[in-house]
Amino acid sequence: MTVLKKYRLLLVDLDGVLWRGTEVLEDNVSALKEFEKRGYRIVYMSNNSSKSRREYARRIRNLGLNASRDNVYNSGYLTALYIVERGIGDTFVIGENGLIEELILQNIPVIVDKDYVDYVVVGLDRYLTYDKLSKALQYLLKGAYFIATNTDHVYPVGDHLEPGAGVIVSALSTALKREPDFIAGKPNTWIVDVVLRKYGVSRDEVLIIGDGLETDIALGSRASVDTLLVLTGITDSRCLEKSSYKPTYVSKNLLEVVDDIL
Ligand SMILES: [Mg+2]
């Protein structure tokens, strides 16, 4: 596999690539250090909105990689950017502090009690209550714009799966009998639009690296961006065989392809 050399920007998923729960995926991390040395621009992405970019950047830096708020894109930040582009307005949030931090950083008013809001944003919320769901529903019935940070059904924690943001989104979709107006995270192509614009690269200079077929690989196929599936996370070769999503490249881990990206 020596065809990877045309890329300039690597769009790298976090969970299942840098780490799996609390376990660090050392082979992938050393490969990324090598890509940094060779001058690749590396941008990190995650569908998890519960932590802010600041927190993710710190965790990535602790692995010895370069990261700051500027090269980390999570679904909370992507949601905030979308609201800025559509027009800032009062926003009711189901979500955790990381999501609220990203909204406030973009000067979006996060509302706790008001008769009407412009947006209802729904992300992963491990402190979800019936009262929050009920409030969100009232706002949506009055016409608020419905944004999901992402619709992942589950996410991995250690050796098991926990309910993802998609579960909460579905609860509201069921009540409303309609889907969200906008989904900020993968596989929506919004992240690719934002990254291409910010870094001034073209689609064929970007390589998406991730472990998820329905997120990372689906994103690549929707956005016409090449993908490298690493088998260090939630996908094994059997899942891959059964899936309709086909990555451009597959590798056991990132270290295996270091010499192909030159
Ligand atoms: Mg992943």
Side-chain angles (χ1 to χ4, degrees), residues 12-19 45-47 152 156 186 209-213 215-216 230 233-234:
V12 181
D13 176 38
L14 293 177
D15 209 337
V17 181
L18 265 59
W19 53 69
M45 60 173 176
S46 171
N47 260 5
D152 295 10
K186 304 174 283 184
I209 299 174
D211 69 317
L213 290 166
T215 48
D216 309 307
V230 283
I234 54 172

